[in-house]
Amino acid sequence: MLLFFAYLCIMIQQEIDKSYLRQAIALAEENVRQKKGGPFAAIIVKDGQIIATGTNLVTANNDPTAHAEVTAIRNACARLGTFQLQGCTVYASCEPCPMCLGAIYWARPSRLVFAADKYQASSVGFDDSFIYKEIKLPISERSIETIHILMPESNAPMDLWRLAENKKEY
């Protein structure tokens, strides 16, 4: 009986997840129709309520960081008055890119659920594989010239942070 109940709970959660994913997909489709940016959207849910949404606004805002997940995270954090999204689920119309995945991990939601995968995104021109490859390379081999200059005062901000009282850890 307990096993059946657990199975039933999983099935119910999958239907809830699919419902929110359908909404994220519909937002992504509308974003394409309105020519605001790429075919991506995200919804953030907490306690069964949509807290925030976001669509890709890269070209509309001339902002390469205005991806759907980042936009949704910004909106959710502003609404909740916090920089962390514990207890929230991020529903994304597509598997998050490296930047968005990093933002999601920094925001610390409880769950991430996505529809299309990175291979589907790649097939229409949104290929992030080069970023994953670049991250692994030594700085001297990256395609963007990257220069590391170690200076005596380089660590001063870190030292100040370490000694700061009443800092807000994150």
Side-chain angles (χ1 to χ4, degrees):
M1 184 64 157
L2 187 60
L3 190 59
F4 175 74
F5 181 71
Y7 173 76
L8 188 60
C9 288
I10 291 169
M11 296 306 293
I12 291 170
Q13 185 60 58
Q14 283 183 350
E15 289 307 311
I16 291 168
D17 290 344
K18 288 177 184 178
S19 174
Y20 287 120
L21 281 177
R22 284 185 190 99
Q23 291 178 63
I25 292 166
L27 277 173
E29 290 174 334
E30 186 60 25
N31 202 54
V32 171
R33 284 188 199 95
Q34 291 184 8
K35 297 179 173 64
K36 289 186 176 180
F40 308 102
I43 293 174
I44 299 179
V45 174
K46 184 172 186 167
D47 299 326
Q49 299 294 316
I50 295 175
I51 301 302
T53 64
T55 58
N56 181 289
L57 299 172
V58 169
T59 55
N61 292 357
N62 292 319
D63 179 355
T65 69
H67 289 204
E69 297 88 342
V70 172
T71 303
I73 289 168
R74 289 173 180 159
N75 293 338
C77 289
R79 179 161 180 205
L80 295 174
T82 182
F83 56 87
Q84 293 188 339
L85 299 175
Q86 287 134 340
C88 294
T89 299
V90 176
Y91 292 94
S93 62
C94 186
E95 184 174 359
C97 74
M99 177 184 69
C100 292
L101 190 58
I104 289 166
Y105 272 87
W106 279 115
R108 296 179 176 90
S110 299
R111 301 172 69 229
L112 165 63
V113 181
F114 65 87
D117 65 26
K118 60 187 172 189
Y119 304 106
Q120 291 165 296
S122 177
S123 75
V124 294
F126 296 94
D127 186 2
D128 300 320
S129 63
F130 75 96
I131 296 173
Y132 289 108
K133 291 175 188 169
E134 288 281 312
I135 289 170
K136 292 179 187 179
L137 291 174
I139 291 172
S140 62
E141 294 178 26
R142 293 182 181 168
S143 63
I144 295 176
E145 182 180 8
T146 304
I147 302 163
H148 179 208
I149 299 175
L150 202 51
M151 299 170 48
E153 62 272 24
S154 293
N155 209 42
M158 308 318 159
D159 293 338
L160 208 61
W161 176 259
R162 185 180 304 104
L163 300 172
E165 293 182 22
N166 300 323
K167 61 188 166 206
K168 196 169 191 175
E169 301 275 352
Y170 61 97

